[in-house]
Amino acid sequence: MIAKTISLLLPALLPSWRFFKTVAASPRVELRVDAGDWQEARPIPERVGLARMARRLVWNPRRNEQLYMVSLSERLAEDGRDHARAELERLVRAGLTGGERFQFRLVFLQREGTQIVKFIDYESPVLPVAEHVS
Amino acid sequence: MSLPEVVQVMSVMLGLAVAQQSAEHLAGARDRLLFLPRLILALVLVSGWQQAWVTWALFAYGVVLLHRFDGPYNGGSDKMTLLITACLSAYHLAPDTRWQEMAMAYLAVQLVLSYFVSGYIKIIKAEWRSGEALCDVFRFSAYPVSERLRGWAERPGVLWLMSWAVMGFEVLFPLSLLHPAALIGALVVAGTFHLANACLFGLNRFFWIWLCAYPSLIWFQDRVLG
């Protein structure tokens, strides 16, 4: 517990500040319900106007949840953390409005030469939409 | 500003920033019970009542949240929140003025590094110098807030200029410590940069929390070079 606390705390007290050192492979979380087509779990809108940008300065919970899902995807891809998998499952499930079973997967986009290529890093098992139904 | 005045101002700003962060979590049912007490603590910090105890409580809360989310929920902004809270906590724990100054100086130095290191690690990379990296940020990274913004990737000239403006500003930021007016100017530019990031990439929490650390640097410049 103490070792874990130290490992979590140190990056905040001795930050590296290496923002955007490289533009790494970028994750998207995709889902499908009842074996349907894959779609992005939290798609970004087509456009965000100035008024909405201003409002988001003080109230931006959905966008911050999206960014949290990006962090979780990177953690899951990096070291397969159970916490990241469980949190992604919870957040994807929370966004569902119907169906009985669903799956989610992590798709990464990255540059290869002049092309942007897409690869699947993780695919979940088929899961129940209702949390307590097996 | 004296050091106690700087701490007073920073505590109010930190309280407001933490209240904003916490309020956003009240939108989701699951973490409501976790963040409501943090929101209340933040508002108490703004009021100034029992400032030291409330700051320590917010630091402890930050550690609990690191465990809850297995790391920061919001990346760099959570790290800066914890760093500011830690330095203010250390200030209140310090046995004398010298150690209080050390706590605030540490935050000021970290703030300078947050710009300088971020600029340096970009400027040594060919893809950042060519503007290609920023094109990729808009083209396929998860950060643009809308699909329409991805169209900026087709304006390499503009993004090359933006890349150099950001990198140049970040690596030269430490020089602003040489004069109080230069520092104020640099902080205005830095704040505008965070505002742009909030609008384009949705990084609203970075904007508020980086502003919270600015008084420490204004004090530090005056203390060391004033």
Side-chain angles (χ1 to χ4, degrees):
Chain A
M1 179 71 170
I2 291 173
K4 170 90 174 167
T5 300
I6 291 170
S7 73
L8 289 171
L9 204 48
L10 268 184
L13 302 184
L14 291 166
S16 75
W17 303 128
R18 293 177 173 215
F19 296 124
F20 284 113
K21 182 182 177 186
T22 53
V23 183
S26 179
R28 305 284 189 277
V29 181
E30 293 185 340
L31 68 90
R32 65 175 175 179
V33 178
D34 295 337
D37 292 334
W38 290 101
Q39 54 186 299
E40 209 170 318
R42 296 282 196 280
I44 56 174
E46 183 53 36
R47 72 180 293 272
V48 175
L50 281 177
R52 196 164 161 200
M53 279 181 184
R55 202 166 53 243
R56 283 176 162 201
L57 279 175
V58 290
W59 185 251
N60 203 15
R62 281 189 63 80
R63 176 63 181 165
N64 282 315
E65 189 177 273
Q66 277 177 348
L67 294 172
Y68 177 49
M69 289 174 79
V70 171
S71 298
L72 291 170
S73 303
E74 289 166 348
R75 292 176 199 169
L76 180 54
E78 201 175 297
D79 50 22
R81 286 193 219 179
D82 286 339
H83 176 275
R85 189 182 297 111
E87 280 287 272
L88 281 170
E89 182 182 324
R90 176 182 72 81
L91 291 165
V92 171
R93 180 181 278 122
L96 297 174
T97 52
E100 289 185 4
R101 303 204 169 254
F102 75 101
Q103 264 183 295
F104 71 92
R105 68 182 184 184
L106 301 187
V107 173
F108 279 76
L109 304 180
Q110 74 174 23
R111 170 183 284 282
E112 274 185 16
T114 57
Q115 301 289 310
I116 305 302
V117 297
K118 183 174 173 176
F119 63 92
I120 297 164
D121 186 88
Y122 169 82
E123 191 166 307
S124 77
V126 177
L127 299 159
V129 169
E131 205 166 351
H132 301 296
V133 177
S134 57
Chain B
M1 274 195 294
S2 67
L3 186 55
E5 285 170 337
V6 166
V7 168
Q8 190 62 39
V9 169
M10 283 180 58
S11 297
V12 171
M13 292 172 78
L14 177 68
L16 291 170
V18 172
Q20 188 276 328
Q21 294 170 8
S22 305
E24 284 188 350
H25 286 274
L26 302 188
R30 186 184 161 105
D31 289 320
R32 202 168 285 165
L33 281 178
L34 184 61
F35 281 93
L36 189 58
R38 187 172 183 250
L39 173 62
I40 293 167
L41 276 172
L43 294 176
V44 174
L45 187 65
V46 173
S47 79
W49 185 74
Q50 294 289 333
Q51 196 179 76
W53 284 100
V54 174
T55 306
W56 294 330
L58 279 173
F59 177 73
Y61 224 111
V63 176
V64 170
L65 294 180
L66 281 178
H67 280 280
R68 158 67 185 88
F69 296 110
D70 199 29
Y73 177 84
N74 202 247
S77 80
D78 278 9
K79 289 180 186 172
M80 184 55 107
T81 305
L82 211 51
L83 180 63
I84 296 173
T85 314
C87 290
L88 287 174
S89 296
Y91 169 89
H92 289 299
L93 274 175
D96 56 36
T97 308
R98 182 167 165 267
W99 285 102
Q100 287 179 328
E101 289 186 339
M102 293 288 277
M104 210 44 55
Y106 182 73
L107 177 59
V109 169
Q110 285 296 340
L111 181 60
V112 173
L113 288 175
S114 75
Y115 294 116
F116 177 75
V117 174
S118 183
Y120 176 74
I121 55 110
K122 289 186 188 77
I123 212 163
I124 58 172
K125 294 275 181 184
E127 61 263 36
W128 272 103
R129 291 196 302 273
S130 68
E132 190 182 88
L134 194 53
C135 284
D136 283 351
V137 168
F138 281 95
R139 185 174 288 121
F140 70 85
S141 85
Y143 290 99
V145 294
S146 69
E147 291 295 343
R148 184 171 287 192
L149 276 179
R150 295 203 182 279
W152 285 31
E154 307 311 316
R155 298 177 188 171
V158 174
L159 295 184
W160 176 85
L161 199 62
M162 282 171 65
S163 299
W164 274 100
V166 170
M167 291 185 300
F169 171 74
E170 288 183 327
V171 293
L172 294 175
F173 185 84
L175 294 179
S176 69
L177 288 171
L178 294 175
H179 193 278
L183 178 60
I184 296 299
L187 291 178
V188 170
V189 174
T192 309
F193 166 67
H194 291 298
L195 184 62
N197 284 341
C199 292
L200 300 178
F201 301 140
L203 305 175
N204 64 320
R205 296 186 183 188
F206 283 71
F207 173 65
W208 298 115
I209 202 64
W210 250 260
L211 292 189
C212 292
Y214 288 179
S216 71
L217 193 54
I218 294 169
W219 166 82
F220 181 75
Q221 196 277 340
D222 184 55
R223 177 71 178 80
V224 176
L225 297 162

